[in-house]
Amino acid sequence: MKMFIMVVAFLCLAEVCCAQSVRPLKVGDRFPEMIFTNVINASYSSVPYNKLKDKVVVLDFFSTWCSSCLALFPHLDSLKAKYGEKLEIFIVTREPREKVEKMLKTKAIAKGFKLPFIVEDTVLRKLFPNKYLPHEVFIKGGTVAAITYPEFLNDSSIDILLKENEIDLPVKKDRVHYDFDQSLVKNLEVNSTEIGMGQFFLSKAITGVPAMGYVRESKDKSFTRYTKVNRTLLELLEKAAGFLNVDNRIVLEVKDSSKFVTTDALAYAWRTANTYCLEYIVPTAWSDNKIGKWLLRQFSVFTDYELSVENRLVDCWVLTKANKADTAEVRSREGLLYRSIEGMVASMNSQLFGNLIVPIVLDETGDSSTVHINLKRENIHNPVVLSGVLRKYGYELKPAKRKIRMLIIRDKLKPNITAY
């Protein structure tokens, strides 16, 4: 299932020029009179902010290693093309000029990218502290109008700011001191629940950190801590199944499935309401199966759902070898290239948690050889389309029924209490 401009700025105010004196800004604060310097990918190398006051100015904090930042490039280009001189977007990064220039030459998505970069930034990152990228700042009329998430960098936000200097957007305030070596419980300074030999903590989503997951062992390697932050319920429940590749092997027997899946899992409002944090600490010696059974019990106690793993006869698609391959028809070299049947089937079953559950595909080919199969990304979860494509490679993909292990999620039955 779980998105920068480096500016060396010379500020008019001496106390702001001093790196240790920079005070972080918040929404509604005046933006200092400053000169953006170290500008590359533009016809100028510096520009004073006072020349931009009448425009909507966006600071898009970025890093060359951030795939979500790179994925924004086409969208940022299109916004600039639409609004022209009314909008100024700076990509801000602390990275050196040479690294950014190399990225512009070598990354396919960056080729032809026209927006200016502010490199080697030492001031803007202190004015707008951030840890998780992308990080967006809107400035209008000399005032910080928003410090927010990339999904709000859109036409609607810009249209509002072109009419007025204020906008009401969710504030992105990163937990810059989040410590991955400390437990989630300690980071949040809350109490957890100890159950037998394990420790279990479940909470609503927290602000200031992105969706993430990580595993840490204790120093003596006797205990292992599993942490998932700002994840959907299905992502949290996955390991509770006690078997690998759960992905789409899930049956929802619940009244309200919208808490688990949606047609738009990237929507801010849905993610805010339906993501959670989970941390549990168990003995390292426990097997996945034992951890799974333990988690099933904890989720059944601490949530509104009963969980179980059952063998179910379910609708699925089965991949087998065809009698003959129509290789003469295989011409496409577009999309995703697969070199093994196992890898291809894993992609077909890969579930972006929060999105509607994708069809189950089972590999019954027995084929472990190297293959060269090209499939379009947009069709990877569409077995009807894939069946026609795979036939040309010598494989059949057909609907079937099979009994397989499934994670079953049910609404918890509430006891009937009769008053006398």
Side-chain angles (χ1 to χ4, degrees):
M1 313 162 266
K2 356 216 57 190
M3 298 65 210
F4 300 131
I5 312 177
M6 300 276 271
V7 178
V8 175
F10 293 100
L11 309 184
C12 296
L13 300 177
E15 68 269 23
V16 181
C17 288
C18 176
Q20 291 187 350
S21 300
V22 174
R23 177 181 62 83
L25 300 180
K26 60 184 184 297
V27 175
D29 284 350
R30 295 295 298 172
F31 188 72
E33 295 293 334
M34 63 183 293
I35 299 174
F36 296 146
T37 64
N38 281 5
V39 180
I40 66 169
N41 206 42
S43 60
Y44 52 89
S45 59
S46 64
V47 60
Y49 172 69
N50 61 19
K51 285 192 174 181
L52 309 172
K53 272 188 177 178
D54 294 332
K55 304 181 180 186
V56 174
V57 175
V58 173
L59 305 179
D60 171 54
F61 287 83
F62 152 95
S63 187
T64 55
W65 50 259
C66 172
S67 59
S68 298
C69 303
L70 292 169
L72 274 181
F73 280 9
H75 175 60
L76 298 177
D77 252 345
S78 66
L79 286 176
K80 178 61 178 174
K82 177 177 179 178
Y83 292 97
E85 291 302 310
K86 298 176 183 178
L87 172 68
E88 208 65 57
I89 303 175
F90 292 97
I91 315 300
V92 184
T93 180
R94 69 176 66 185
E95 292 179 301
R97 173 192 299 262
E98 295 76 17
K99 194 168 186 179
V100 176
E101 288 177 338
K102 181 180 179 182
M103 179 273 299
L104 287 169
K105 292 177 182 176
T106 58
K107 293 285 186 181
I109 198 169
K111 290 182 179 179
F113 188 60
K114 301 179 178 64
L115 296 181
F117 286 73
I118 299 174
V119 299
E120 299 170 5
D121 168 53
T122 59
V123 175
L124 287 177
R125 63 188 176 94
K126 290 185 173 70
L127 291 175
F128 304 104
N130 61 83
K131 186 173 183 177
Y132 308 105
L133 308 176
H135 186 78
E136 312 301 333
V137 176
F138 291 80
I139 305 166
K140 176 68 187 303
T143 300
V144 179
I147 302 171
T148 193
Y149 301 88
E151 51 262 56
F152 296 102
L153 180 49
N154 54 35
D155 301 38
S156 175
S157 298
I158 295 168
D159 287 340
I160 292 172
L161 284 172
L162 286 174
K163 294 177 183 177
E164 47 192 295
N165 291 344
E166 296 181 357
I167 187 170
D168 185 16
L169 293 177
V171 176
K172 181 176 180 285
K173 187 176 180 181
D174 292 351
R175 292 175 183 261
V176 295
H177 301 299
Y178 188 95
D179 187 350
F180 288 84
D181 290 325
Q182 294 293 332
S183 69
L184 180 61
V185 170
K186 287 187 178 179
N187 272 294
L188 299 181
E189 297 181 345
V190 295
N191 294 322
S192 64
T193 303
E194 292 188 10
I195 306 160
M197 291 189 68
Q199 187 181 75
F200 184 91
F201 173 74
L202 180 66
S203 77
K204 290 289 288 182
I206 58 175
T207 59
V209 292
M212 59 185 178
Y214 52 94
V215 179
R216 295 286 189 274
E217 275 190 335
S218 60
K219 288 183 179 180
D220 62 1
K221 300 189 181 303
S222 60
F223 285 86
T224 302
R225 171 164 49 87
Y226 298 85
T227 306
K228 288 189 177 183
V229 179
N230 296 344
R231 299 284 191 168
T232 66
L233 277 172
L234 288 187
E235 289 176 291
L236 299 187
L237 298 175
E238 182 184 15
K239 196 170 180 65
F243 57 92
L244 298 176
N245 303 320
V246 177
D247 279 344
N248 50 352
R249 298 192 180 190
I250 295 170
V251 177
L252 292 176
E253 295 181 347
V254 297
K255 225 177 237 188
D256 183 8
S257 63
S258 69
K259 294 184 180 299
F260 294 88
V261 295
T262 179
T263 54
D264 186 8
L266 296 178
Y268 178 82
W270 188 86
R271 286 191 290 111
T272 301
N274 296 290
T275 52
Y276 302 82
C277 299
L278 169 68
E279 183 168 85
Y280 53 95
I281 303 171
V282 295
T284 303
W286 282 12
S287 65
D288 281 346
N289 186 52
K290 186 168 184 176
I291 294 173
K293 289 180 178 178
W294 180 80
L295 285 174
L296 286 178
R297 293 194 300 272
Q298 311 322 317
F299 279 118
S300 295
V301 170
F302 292 102
T303 72
D304 293 330
Y305 306 100
E306 296 281 357
L307 277 67
S308 63
V309 175
E310 302 174 13
N311 289 321
R312 283 282 186 98
L313 186 66
V314 296
D315 292 317
C316 60
W317 289 75
V318 171
L319 183 69
T320 58
K321 277 191 171 182
N323 294 327
K324 184 180 179 182
D326 188 5
T327 53
E329 294 296 324
V330 179
R331 297 189 179 92
S332 174
R333 292 294 179 268
E334 298 178 359
L336 304 168
L337 172 62
Y338 292 99
R339 298 185 182 275
S340 73
I341 296 299
E342 181 183 18
M344 180 182 71
V345 171
S347 287
M348 293 176 182
N349 288 311
S350 178
Q351 177 70 40
L352 177 59
F353 285 100
N355 286 351
L356 301 179
I357 296 175
V358 300
I360 296 172
V361 178
L362 300 179
D363 176 15
E364 296 184 359
T365 64
D367 189 351
S368 59
S369 64
T370 299
V371 298
H372 292 81
I373 299 177
N374 286 85
L375 301 176
K376 290 184 177 179
R377 188 183 302 272
E378 61 268 25
N379 294 332
I380 198 66
H381 292 141
N382 189 336
V384 174
V385 173
L386 290 181
S387 61
V389 176
L390 290 171
R391 194 173 298 116
K392 299 172 184 178
Y393 288 94
Y395 297 92
E396 294 282 355
L397 184 61
K398 294 182 177 180
K401 286 185 179 291
R402 293 289 187 273
K403 183 174 277 193
I404 57 177
R405 293 179 75 195
M406 302 287 289
L407 174 63
I408 314 299
I409 303 172
R410 302 180 178 89
D411 286 322
K412 187 182 292 183
L413 293 176
K414 294 181 180 176
N416 292 319
I417 300 176
T418 305
Y420 291 96

